[in-house]
Amino acid sequence: MNTLELTDEQLTLVQNALDFYSRIGIGQFNEIKNHPTFEEHLSNEFAIKEGPIEVGDKTQRGVVVEIGKGYIKTSGSWGNGEEIKTWYDVDKIKHSVDYPKFHSTRDEVDRLLTTPRNMLMNDFSLSEHGSWGIHNPNVHNTCRMALDIVQVIRHERWKAREEKTFHTVDSSIHFTHRDDDSSDKIKCVLNAKEIA
């Protein structure tokens, strides 16, 4: 067996990359627009304001009500009604986006990717958001292997959380690669504690 040591950020990248690989492999071309490069680029292109964040600005985390050394407070609705939140990751707070333009562009990308996806699949009956299932015989086996690795990683993260529910997809593992027992050998170690 091989061992790969990664930071949590690197492990997240591996998980996201394998998830992306398996989704493209089943024909979910609409996932391309969710790649961080394109999400960030469109958010910057359609930002409603440029320059530094100031009190009164609309951000992706609400309206700025206070700026201090190392924090920004915003007012917004997060399911509990209107409230003020304090954010310490100030470098990640961005100006709000012209969401109609943002979503219009993403919707057009979905529409335009339908034809090439259907051409590659030689199936023109699929709708814009249609795809093959992971067990479709046309799907390459590496897509199933990738999904199995993703499932192990996210399940280990689920087990490591203090608060968890059994009603989420990460609460169990359902292997999809069945040609051999290699998926049973996938292990993920978090915080130097082996968890399989």
Side-chain angles (χ1 to χ4, degrees):
M1 297 298 291
N2 298 305
T3 301
L4 180 64
E5 292 188 24
L6 304 168
T7 66
D8 193 56
E9 182 180 19
Q10 292 166 336
L11 183 62
T12 298
L13 177 59
V14 168
Q15 180 180 347
N16 291 343
L18 291 171
D19 184 65
F20 186 75
Y21 178 87
S22 66
R23 288 177 184 277
I24 296 300
I26 65 173
Q28 290 182 357
F29 283 23
N30 56 323
E31 284 297 314
I32 291 170
K33 70 182 184 301
N34 296 326
H35 190 284
T37 296
F38 305 122
E39 275 196 339
E40 189 170 311
H41 175 71
L42 288 179
S43 291
N44 291 335
E45 285 293 304
F46 298 128
I48 59 174
K49 184 180 176 188
E50 292 183 19
I53 302 285
E54 300 173 339
V55 172
D57 285 350
K58 291 181 182 178
T59 72
Q60 295 176 13
R61 298 188 189 176
V63 177
V64 177
V65 295
E66 183 180 329
I67 298 176
K69 188 172 183 165
Y71 73 89
I72 292 178
K73 290 186 178 184
T74 62
S75 175
S77 296
W78 288 275
N80 298 326
E82 189 77 15
E83 62 181 292
I84 293 177
K85 285 195 171 190
T86 303
W87 310 95
Y88 298 99
D89 56 345
V90 295
D91 58 319
K92 294 184 178 167
I93 298 176
K94 307 288 183 195
H95 288 289
S96 191
V97 174
D98 182 336
Y99 286 107
K101 286 183 182 176
F102 178 84
H103 289 295
S104 175
T105 299
R106 290 168 52 88
D107 291 347
E108 183 67 4
V109 167
D110 283 347
R111 189 187 69 72
L112 291 170
L113 286 174
T114 301
T115 298
R117 186 229 28 225
N118 289 354
M119 288 173 69
L120 288 171
M121 297 170 100
N122 195 27
D123 183 352
F124 290 88
S125 67
L126 287 174
S127 67
E128 190 173 290
H129 295 285
S131 66
W132 285 330
I134 194 71
H135 293 291
N136 185 297
N138 294 317
V139 172
H140 198 270
N141 202 33
T142 57
C143 295
R144 289 181 275 279
M145 292 171 75
L147 181 59
D148 287 355
I149 296 168
V150 167
Q151 288 193 64
V152 169
I153 293 169
R154 73 182 180 198
H155 183 63
E156 295 314 312
R157 287 185 161 156
W158 174 85
K159 290 189 328 190
R161 284 197 305 268
E162 288 184 25
E163 292 183 29
K164 52 187 160 253
T165 175
F166 289 89
H167 302 291
T168 57
V169 70
D170 55 358
S171 68
S172 63
I173 299 174
H174 176 72
F175 289 131
T176 58
H177 170 66
R178 299 180 181 152
D179 289 354
D180 56 37
D181 65 349
S182 63
S183 289
D184 293 330
K185 297 175 182 167
I186 300 168
K187 295 195 185 307
C188 181
V189 177
L190 299 178
N191 300 325
K193 177 182 174 187
E194 186 171 332
I195 308 169

